């Protein structure tokens, strides 16, 4: 699948509806996760299980979204 088609698909099904897309990778003895909502993205969120890595990514994404809202309000 071409990259432009994959990006269009992700935009249509995830970002357009306001949903969060995340990806978890395995790095030997830890898991790394990234999460994005189409406008804000966080990377390098680590955990000992895939669930904790995903939870850390979603927590950091929520924190980043709140920080950008505060900056935009000023």
């Amino acid at each position: 699948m071409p990259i432009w088609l994959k990006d269009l698909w992700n935009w249509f099904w995830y970002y357009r509806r306001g949903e969060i897309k995340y990806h978890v990778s395995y790095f030997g003895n830890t898991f790394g996760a990234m999460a994005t909502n189409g406008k804000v993205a966080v990377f390098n969120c680590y955990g000992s299980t895939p669930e904790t890595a995903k939870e850390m990514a979603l927590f950091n994404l929520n924190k980043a979204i709140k920080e950008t809202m505060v900056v935009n309000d000023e």
Side-chain angles (χ1 to χ4, degrees):
M1 174 183 303
I3 191 75
W4 64 268
L5 184 59
K6 183 178 178 185
D7 290 340
L8 179 66
W9 181 265
N10 288 339
W11 176 82
F12 185 75
W13 287 107
Y14 293 103
Y15 308 139
R16 186 169 157 247
R17 297 189 319 183
E19 292 186 11
I20 296 170
K21 183 178 179 184
Y22 66 93
H23 179 74
V24 178
S25 302
Y26 180 61
F27 297 116
N29 60 352
T30 61
F31 292 88
M34 61 83 60
T36 182
N37 67 353
K39 296 184 180 190
V40 179
V42 293
F43 301 92
N44 299 331
C45 303
Y46 298 102
S48 58
T49 65
E51 292 81 18
T52 57
K54 177 185 170 189
E55 184 179 337
M56 178 61 73
L58 295 177
F59 174 77
N60 286 341
L61 181 64
N62 189 25
K63 185 175 159 185
I65 290 171
K66 287 181 182 177
E67 287 176 1
T68 57
M69 288 179 11
V70 169
V71 170
N72 291 337
D73 287 342
E74 293 178 349

